[in-house]
Amino acid sequence: MNRKLIPEISSLQWYTTVIPLMVVLSITGVKDAADDVKRHQSDKQVNNRPVWILENGKVKEDKWMNVQVGDIVKLENNQPVTADILLLSSSEPYGLTFIETAELDGETNLKVKQAISVTSEMEDNLKLLAAFDGEVKCEPPNNKLDKFAGILFYKGKSYSLDHDKLLLRGCIIRNTDWCYGLVIYTGQDTKLMQNSGKYTFKRTQIDHLMNVLVLWIFLFLVIMCFVLATGHGIWENKKGYHFQIFMPREKYISSSAVSSFLIFWSYIIILNTMVPISLYVSVEIIRLGNSFYINWDQKMFYAPKNTPAQARTTTLNEELGQVKYVFSDKTGTLTQNIMIFNKCSINGTLYGKLVYQAQSPDEGALVTAARNFGFVFRSRTSETITVVKMGETKVYRLLAILDFNSVRKRMSVIVRTPEDQVMLFCKGADTIICELLHPSCRSLNEVTMEHLDDFASEGLRTLMVAYRELDDGFFRAWSKKHSEACLSVENREDKLSDVYEEIEKDLMLLGATAIEDKLQDGVPETIITLNKAKIKIWVLTGDKQETAVNIAYSSHIFEDEMDGVFVVEGKDVETIQKELRTARNKMKPESLLESDSVNTYVTMKPNMSFKLPEEVPNGNYGLVINGYSLACALEGNLELELLRTACMCKGVVCCRMTPLQKAQVVELVKRYKKVVTLAIGDGANDVSMIKGISIQASLHLHPYLLTHAESARFHRHTYTFRHMHLHYEFAHIGVGISGQEGMQAMLNSDFAFCQFCYLQRLLLVHGRWSYNRMCKFLSYFFYKNFAFTIVHFWYAFFNGFSAQTVYDNWFIACYNMIYTSLPVLGMSLFDQDVNETWSLRFPELYEPGQHNLYFNKKEFVKCLMHGIYSSFVLFFVPMAIIYNSERGDGKDISDYQSFSLIVQTSLISVVTMQIALKITYWTVISHFFIWGSLTFYFCILFLLYSDGLCLVFPNIFQFLGVARNTMNQPQMWLSIILSIIFCVLPVIGHQFLKPLCWPISVDKIFDRIHCMKHPQPLPIQAKLKHASARRSAYAFSHKQGFGALITSGKTTKALKKTSFPFKK
């Protein structure tokens, strides 16, 4: 008996399993090690960034990794913030520091932070800073970016600390020479890292399917082995005892039952190739190769930034070919996040397009445009504004700022002109300003509104400007009321609003402006193409409704030709439910009936999860919903009503969304639709829907104690936790745009590039190819292994179910690892059913992937049946041909080794022809891999069966001379030819009949492609101008303004800086 791993049950040599296993583990180990090295290098780069730390009265350079809670650090202009730091002092008056928070919230406009007065007086005095011995009690680490609560105990007094005193990690210091701060949170405790959370490994639908199929295969393997073991027991009882005289049983075999039990495990070992250990490694290699195609794609390379597309993960490629829903941010994703002053209407006269661009959005666009008209903003103090008007310097005295908020949707300034007139200038949303105009402006208003309609039809963000000349006495009386309102403690906001309304009336219309948050190049064309691919696009944005809807129209998510756009803006559950059902009644009235299948299922099984079917409306519709209404719907058990309504619509816009709400919308679609989703964004506020996050937040019961003293650089935490779990759901695929809003979205994404228009190549070209290749790979891989393994099943009926193998041991070891590996990898890396031009010309080709038509459980069963049939042919055709046959010299050919060689050679030839039929795009590499592997098999055959090896290692190489003695016999070549014919004919017949008898939607498109030699150019659509009642009602900010801070004088730098705190 040959030496085996387990002699009692093993019929195979040890190397048939150990060698493939070692190769698989080695490849996996190298890949995982490479990933670990990359992560380590990234961490090392961040940890080794320089930082200035105050130590022993001196500022010394150190590394980020060495920063500890309680340290005092120095930050300089344009430097990233190291940790979450309590601002102590700065180079600016009143301890102000300007920061950019793009890495945190995606906003590029600057924000102002201010140190408390008791510490700002220390300025950059190192002696005073080193002697600082304050004690801070604050909340434990959490992920709330806009919340912070703490108390500073210093010199016997306590000072309240809030978010405005904290510089968060990820911010960048701007327009501030230097600042000093006390480290509060470091490392994983910082709010930035708390929002990053614990990464959840993403797996594709095919991964889950493969896991299920492997279980099926194993179950099928067990059934086969049980059948063979039972057959062995029957054979032993009826015939086996006759052979015991010649072949006595081993001592450990006491009965046929024991023998059957051992045979069962022997067949488990022999047939284990049905559960191939190389499957998952092959899948990873294929995914890695397809990821390189994305990285190398020059058509996704953004030259202005010298940035290529990046596949940041190698596990999701084929899922790019199955996307049904795309969830997109707006600003910076669909738009460039660069404001351009486009048009204006002044006193009823329309002025043409102006191409002026500023780096800061909104205000920067208007100020820059005014400068180019000859009205230059020169400087500002807390009391004056200096403007150069057509070369003449004029100084306006600033009397009051009536600040913006989201309710007023306007802001005003009151100034005293050089001519000693008191003037109020107001800018705001057109819907608001129109209500405040003097009746004498009616005719001018009508003309201006026509201009606004024109602006709106082009997707521009509009703003109306008006003024009012004020009487001195009236202003003095009003100013007194304004001061009282500012100083009031109770209902301050309401009182200020009332005072503002007293003076903001009877305005004289000046005109309107149109600012373009310019769409990125190719966005409308990309969305039209994706819609043709049956991909639904939802915009999830924190922007206000009017702006979001405007962009939806200009980007073709909404169209003027739609049958209706529903707006859900209810404030309570009843109103929202009514709005949703009204929309559904118009789109599909029968969906409200009790007999509707979904309604019936929900009524019968209200708590059961199910897949929401696709519901087809009677037209094209859009849906708009704001964050407040969305929250009410989700909390009020209206999620199914909301989802059914939204999924019937062609496009959906969700505005005023928080990051958590974005994640909730994604989770809602995933839970009920069971389809592949993709989220794309460019800011940190998009991370929650881009990246899989599972956060464990902690609520403390005792304060978090933090101290600092000159002699101590260590800190002490004393707190107790009560755990809660916060789970962010995420899209199957996350795409980050490398744009104006920092790098957080890109760093947390699965794929990254610079322009939204690259999404169509990512999905329709790379995604579709990857899906098709993976499906072909899996179907062929399972087929070739079934055909290879099940031959042993048929052979068992002719060898007394003795667990003898059909093939040579070396063939078993090399079949998957050498003989068939390159052809299948070649097909999986290079095959294309159509080229990239056709893929983009006919987006409808993408649809099969959305329904997973090319590889599913049904297709797997087909592979199994095909493999069983092929194994039957591969065993019985050679057996029938060599049965009782003789060689030309009269010697018998029907020996075991000759039969084994004929069967395995027929198998290699058949699987080679099968993969040749599957390939639709032949390259030199494909030819080399396929025919080269077949040639290599014959070459290695003569080597393994050569006299030299067989004589030197007779226990390992046992087929001495079989190759040269068998391959010159016509029976072998007849067997190969007939096996190929019988195995290939059904495949050819199926490929011919399938489009005729069982066509799918894309078959007609393939017919059109085959009839066309070259793609026809897409028809150029004339840009039609539609009158539209919709306007952006655009206002400059989404948050409360800084009017009070401006007029206080605290933002005015000491003579050396006089510009607005805009990003430079």
Side-chain angles (χ1 to χ4, degrees):
M1 179 180 289
N2 293 328
R3 185 178 61 179
K4 311 291 195 304
L5 292 175
I6 306 177
E8 291 78 9
I9 63 174
S10 180
S11 298
L12 298 174
Q13 295 288 352
W14 62 270
Y15 50 81
T16 60
T17 303
V18 172
I19 292 178
L21 180 62
M22 292 297 295
V23 172
V24 168
L25 293 179
S26 299
I27 295 174
T28 304
V30 169
K31 179 181 179 297
D32 291 343
D35 291 340
D36 289 340
V37 168
K38 289 181 181 178
R39 281 192 291 267
H40 176 73
Q41 291 175 342
S42 178
D43 292 342
K44 184 177 180 181
Q45 182 182 7
V46 173
N47 291 334
N48 288 327
R49 287 178 180 175
V51 63
W52 294 96
I53 300 178
L54 180 63
E55 183 177 359
N56 299 324
K58 297 181 180 179
V59 176
K60 296 182 178 180
E61 184 175 348
D62 209 328
K63 297 179 179 179
W64 272 35
M65 69 173 74
N66 297 326
V67 174
Q68 298 184 21
V69 174
D71 287 344
I72 290 181
V73 298
K74 178 183 179 181
L75 300 171
E76 297 179 340
N77 193 33
N78 298 324
Q79 184 178 353
V81 178
T82 313
D84 290 353
I85 296 172
L86 174 66
L87 181 60
L88 297 178
S89 62
S90 78
S91 59
E92 307 308 303
Y94 302 95
L96 294 177
T97 297
F98 302 102
I99 60 170
E100 179 185 287
T101 61
E103 292 285 344
L104 290 172
D105 56 17
E107 296 184 7
T108 54
N109 56 307
L110 299 187
K111 295 181 175 61
V112 181
K113 299 289 183 177
Q114 185 175 16
I116 56 177
S117 58
V118 68
T119 62
S120 65
E121 296 170 355
M122 294 188 293
E123 296 185 339
D124 60 347
N125 189 317
L126 298 184
K127 184 177 180 180
L128 293 177
L129 289 166
F132 177 69
D133 59 354
E135 180 181 296
V136 175
K137 287 185 178 180
C138 62
E139 61 188 6
N142 60 70
N143 65 327
K144 297 178 180 178
L145 293 174
D146 57 348
K147 302 289 183 183
F148 176 73
I151 300 175
L152 169 64
F153 297 95
Y154 183 52
K155 293 183 178 180
K157 296 183 179 180
S158 60
Y159 302 89
S160 176
L161 304 177
D162 57 21
H163 180 257
D164 291 331
K165 309 293 189 296
L166 199 66
L167 304 178
L168 300 182
R169 177 178 175 178
C171 299
I172 298 177
I173 306 297
R174 299 293 192 197
N175 293 356
T176 305
D177 293 335
W178 52 261
C179 65
Y180 287 87
L182 175 66
V183 176
I184 303 293
Y185 306 123
T186 63
Q188 293 296 325
D189 290 342
T190 59
K191 292 183 180 290
L192 175 67
M193 298 305 294
Q194 289 281 309
N195 272 276
S196 295
K198 180 181 177 182
Y199 182 73
T200 303
F201 185 69
K202 295 183 178 181
R203 302 198 69 87
T204 67
Q205 289 187 346
I206 284 184
D207 283 330
H208 293 294
L209 178 60
M210 282 197 302
N211 292 337
V212 172
L213 297 182
V214 167
L215 291 177
W216 284 15
I217 293 172
F218 184 75
L219 180 61
F220 182 63
L221 169 65
V222 171
I223 293 173
M224 279 204 307
C225 293
F226 179 78
V227 170
L228 295 176
T230 303
H232 176 78
I234 296 172
W235 187 88
E236 280 286 333
N237 285 328
K238 290 188 175 182
K239 295 185 179 181
Y241 66 89
H242 294 301
F243 296 90
Q244 291 182 20
I245 297 174
F246 309 101
M247 298 178 63
R249 288 175 174 171
E250 300 288 349
K251 294 180 180 180
Y252 50 81
I253 300 178
S254 59
S255 65
S256 60
V258 174
S259 180
S260 297
F261 176 78
L262 295 176
I263 285 294
F264 172 84
W265 293 107
S266 296
Y267 274 114
I268 287 286
I269 294 173
I270 291 175
L271 303 180
N272 77 86
T273 49
M274 285 189 65
V275 188
I277 57 177
S278 60
L279 172 63
Y280 290 96
V281 174
S282 300
V283 166
E284 291 303 316
I285 293 174
I286 293 166
R287 287 171 173 168
L288 181 64
N290 285 312
S291 296
F292 283 131
Y293 292 146
I294 297 173
N295 298 337
W296 296 336
D297 192 341
Q298 289 299 307
K299 294 183 179 178
M300 296 173 69
F301 179 84
Y302 190 58
K305 287 190 175 182
N306 195 34
T307 304
Q310 297 181 44
R312 296 176 52 82
T313 180
T314 60
T315 59
L316 303 174
N317 300 64
E318 71 274 6
E319 202 140 68
L320 290 171
Q322 297 179 272
V323 173
K324 183 65 178 177
Y325 285 84
V326 170
F327 302 98
S328 174
D329 180 38
K330 182 189 71 68
T331 305
T333 302
L334 298 178
T335 67
Q336 296 181 5
N337 201 17
I338 297 174
M339 306 300 171
I340 297 177
F341 187 90
N342 197 290
K343 296 182 180 181
C344 62
S345 172
I346 302 176
N347 198 30
T349 303
L350 177 65
Y351 292 83
K353 181 176 181 180
L354 306 166
V355 183
Y356 303 121
Q357 184 170 321
Q359 198 166 6
S360 295
D362 306 345
E363 291 96 337
L366 289 179
V367 172
T368 304
R371 180 196 65 194
N372 287 278
F373 276 123
F375 297 84
V376 182
F377 172 82
R378 176 59 56 85
S379 64
R380 190 210 71 225
T381 70
S382 61
E383 297 181 350
T384 63
I385 298 172
T386 303
V387 177
V388 178
K389 178 182 176 182
M390 307 300 288
E392 180 182 356
T393 301
K394 290 183 176 291
V395 179
Y396 293 81
R397 184 182 175 192
L398 181 60
L399 302 178
I401 294 180
L402 284 59
D403 224 339
F404 171 90
N405 64 42
S406 59
V407 177
R408 286 166 38 76
K409 295 186 179 179
R410 64 186 184 274
M411 83 171 281
S412 302
V413 293
I414 301 176
V415 298
R416 187 175 294 276
T417 69
E419 293 80 19
D420 201 33
Q421 292 178 309
V422 179
M423 302 289 292
L424 178 146
F425 294 96
C426 182
K427 62 179 181 180
D430 49 88
T431 53
I432 301 297
I433 300 297
C434 286
E435 299 175 358
L436 306 177
L437 294 178
H438 191 275
S440 62
C441 297
R442 182 173 301 170
S443 59
L444 176 59
N445 186 37
E446 291 176 355
V447 175
T448 305
M449 293 301 286
E450 291 180 3
H451 293 164
L452 285 172
D453 286 336
D454 292 338
F455 298 160
S457 68
E458 298 177 29
L460 303 178
R461 302 167 67 169
T462 58
L463 180 76
M464 288 188 80
V465 184
Y467 74 96
R468 180 184 178 186
E469 186 174 349
L470 304 175
D471 177 73
D472 278 342
F474 171 76
F475 172 72
R476 283 193 295 270
W478 177 88
S479 182
K480 184 178 179 181
K481 295 180 182 179
H482 180 246
S483 299
E484 292 174 353
C486 289
L487 297 175
S488 62
V489 178
E490 297 181 356
N491 300 322
R492 179 174 177 270
E493 297 298 327
D494 294 336
K495 292 179 180 179
L496 279 174
S497 180
D498 293 338
V499 172
Y500 291 166
E501 288 184 4
E502 285 186 22
I503 201 168
E504 289 177 328
K505 60 184 180 182
D506 295 332
L507 303 179
M508 303 301 295
L509 180 61
L510 278 172
T513 61
I515 288 180
E516 182 179 10
D517 183 4
K518 191 174 175 123
L519 284 174
Q520 294 182 12
D521 294 337
V523 167
E525 295 82 0
T526 298
I527 289 176
I528 290 173
T529 301
L530 295 180
N531 282 333
K532 289 180 180 178
K534 303 293 178 66
I535 297 174
K536 293 190 175 183
I537 300 173
W538 292 17
V539 176
L540 311 181
T541 177
D543 215 334
K544 57 192 181 64
Q545 179 174 313
E546 295 86 350
T547 306
V549 171
N550 237 21
I551 294 298
Y553 274 100
S554 58
S555 61
H556 285 276
I557 294 173
F558 289 169
E559 296 175 346
D560 288 330
E561 295 78 12
M562 277 184 164
D563 298 292
V565 175
F566 307 109
V567 179
V568 178
E569 51 190 356
K571 303 296 183 182
D572 55 76
V573 173
E574 292 75 16
T575 305
I576 295 170
Q577 185 179 46
K578 182 179 179 181
E579 291 173 337
L580 292 173
R581 292 194 171 183
T582 301
R584 279 173 53 206
N585 184 55
K586 184 175 181 180
M587 291 188 290
K588 189 178 181 183
E590 58 270 25
S591 67
L592 297 175
L593 300 176
E594 292 183 3
S595 58
D596 178 74
S597 59
V598 177
N599 295 334
T600 303
Y601 188 91
V602 173
T603 303
M604 296 176 61
K605 301 179 181 179
N607 298 322
M608 293 288 290
S609 178
F610 67 99
K611 180 179 179 180
L612 188 66
E614 197 72 22
E615 298 181 279
V616 181
N618 54 23
N620 286 331
Y621 299 91
L623 177 70
V624 180
I625 185 170
N626 60 51
Y628 186 87
S629 300
L630 178 68
C632 290
L634 296 179
E635 294 173 5
N637 295 322
L638 294 178
E639 57 182 20
L640 199 55
E641 292 270 2
L642 171 63
L643 185 63
R644 292 185 69 184
T645 305
C647 290
M648 288 187 199
C649 296
K650 181 181 178 182
V652 177
V653 172
C654 302
C655 50
R656 292 299 192 192
M657 300 279 286
T658 66
L660 180 58
Q661 285 181 320
K662 292 183 178 184
Q664 287 175 326
V665 170
V666 174
E667 189 273 336
L668 185 63
V669 174
K670 284 180 60 180
R671 184 172 6 129
Y672 286 109
K673 297 299 291 185
K674 314 293 185 186
V675 293
V676 177
T677 59
L678 180 147
I680 180 170
D682 70 321
N685 53 344
D686 302 314
V687 169
S688 60
M689 67 174 180
I690 287 176
K691 176 183 177 183
I693 296 178
S694 179
I695 297 177
Q696 288 187 344
S698 301
L699 296 177
H700 81 300
L701 300 178
H702 301 289
Y704 183 123
L705 182 64
L706 179 152
T707 62
H708 170 85
E710 180 182 6
S711 60
R713 289 195 55 191
F714 298 98
H715 63 284
R716 185 176 185 85
H717 300 252
T718 56
Y719 49 87
T720 305
F721 292 101
R722 182 179 73 226
H723 294 286
M724 70 175 183
H725 298 276
L726 174 62
H727 182 69
Y728 283 154
E729 277 294 341
F730 51 93
H732 292 91
I733 303 167
V735 177
I737 298 287
S738 177
Q740 305 290 326
E741 299 191 358
M743 303 292 288
Q744 281 301 307
M746 190 196 77
L747 293 176
N748 288 283
S749 64
D750 304 307
F751 302 90
F753 42 71
C754 289
Q755 295 286 289
F756 181 86
C757 63
Y758 297 160
L759 183 63
Q760 62 178 324
R761 280 192 66 82
L762 184 71
L763 300 184
L764 304 185
V765 178
H766 294 289
R768 203 180 70 83
W769 281 350
S770 295
Y771 171 74
N772 289 357
R773 290 165 179 166
M774 184 61 70
C775 291
K776 282 188 175 184
F777 162 78
L778 291 173
S779 60
Y780 175 74
F781 194 92
F782 283 125
Y783 161 75
K784 75 181 181 67
N785 277 76
F786 291 148
F788 165 67
T789 305
I790 299 176
V791 171
H792 292 294
F793 181 83
W794 308 118
Y795 184 50
F797 290 89
F798 295 87
N799 64 19
F801 304 94
S802 60
Q804 184 182 16
T805 60
V806 179
Y807 313 112
D808 171 29
N809 285 327
W810 279 106
F811 180 80
I812 295 174
C814 297
Y815 178 73
N816 275 315
M817 190 175 64
I818 297 177
Y819 297 148
T820 61
S821 60
L822 287 181
V824 72
L825 287 176
M827 177 187 69
S828 306
L829 292 174
F830 303 109
D831 196 42
Q832 303 173 11
D833 55 350
V834 295
N835 61 33
E836 62 182 66
T837 305
W838 291 116
S839 296
L840 295 172
R841 178 65 179 83
F842 293 102
E844 298 84 357
L845 292 172
Y846 188 82
E847 191 175 353
Q850 295 172 327
H851 303 288
N852 200 20
L853 296 181
Y854 291 156
F855 189 79
N856 47 46
K857 293 175 182 177
K858 181 180 177 181
E859 293 299 318
F860 171 78
V861 172
K862 290 181 181 178
C863 293
L864 176 60
M865 300 306 296
H866 186 201
I868 293 173
Y869 167 76
S870 295
S871 68
F872 184 88
V873 170
L874 288 167
F875 179 78
F876 286 102
V877 166
M879 173 166 280
I881 289 176
I882 69 171
Y883 182 71
N884 287 334
S885 63
E886 296 179 347
R887 293 161 49 91
D889 55 6
K891 295 181 179 180
D892 190 12
I893 197 176
S894 57
D895 62 281
Y896 163 72
Q897 292 186 342
S898 298
F899 176 73
S900 174
L901 178 62
I902 293 173
V903 171
Q904 67 189 40
T905 305
S906 299
L907 171 65
I908 288 293
S909 302
V910 166
V911 296
T912 300
M913 293 304 299
Q914 293 283 7
I915 199 170
L917 288 175
K918 279 185 172 290
I919 290 179
T920 54
Y921 180 69
W922 285 92
T923 64
V924 174
I925 297 177
S926 301
H927 283 289
F928 176 76
F929 279 1
I930 292 174
W931 311 121
S933 293
L934 185 61
T935 303
F936 180 75
Y937 163 75
F938 284 103
C939 294
I940 204 75
L941 197 66
F942 283 99
L943 174 64
L944 294 177
Y945 298 168
S946 64
D947 294 348
L949 285 178
C950 293
L951 293 175
V952 175
F953 305 102
N955 292 330
I956 299 177
F957 302 97
Q958 301 172 346
F959 280 48
L960 176 62
V962 175
R964 65 173 180 269
N965 291 330
T966 305
M967 295 189 70
N968 61 4
Q969 300 301 313
Q971 290 94 334
M972 176 175 178
W973 299 106
L974 177 61
S975 173
I976 292 174
I977 293 171
L978 290 179
S979 296
I980 291 175
I981 291 173
F982 285 128
C983 289
V984 167
L985 276 180
V987 176
I988 296 175
H990 181 264
Q991 290 180 349
F992 176 76
L993 294 175
K994 186 175 178 291
L996 300 176
C997 302
W998 310 281
I1000 58 176
S1001 58
V1002 297
D1003 288 331
K1004 293 182 179 179
I1005 298 175
F1006 282 120
D1007 291 339
R1008 291 176 60 188
I1009 291 174
H1010 295 151
C1011 295
M1012 299 167 61
K1013 292 184 179 180
H1014 301 286
Q1016 296 178 353
L1018 290 171
I1020 300 176
Q1021 296 181 349
K1023 187 175 181 180
L1024 301 178
K1025 182 176 178 181
H1026 302 282
S1028 176
R1030 58 183 170 83
R1031 290 186 208 96
S1032 69
Y1034 170 66
F1036 282 113
S1037 177
H1038 304 150
K1039 299 181 180 180
Q1040 184 74 26
F1042 295 101
L1045 193 60
I1046 292 173
T1047 54
S1048 70
K1050 294 181 179 180
T1051 57
T1052 308
K1053 299 186 180 182
L1055 298 177
K1056 58 183 178 181
K1057 291 186 179 179
T1058 55
S1059 63
F1060 276 113
F1062 293 151
K1063 177 180 176 182
K1064 290 185 175 181

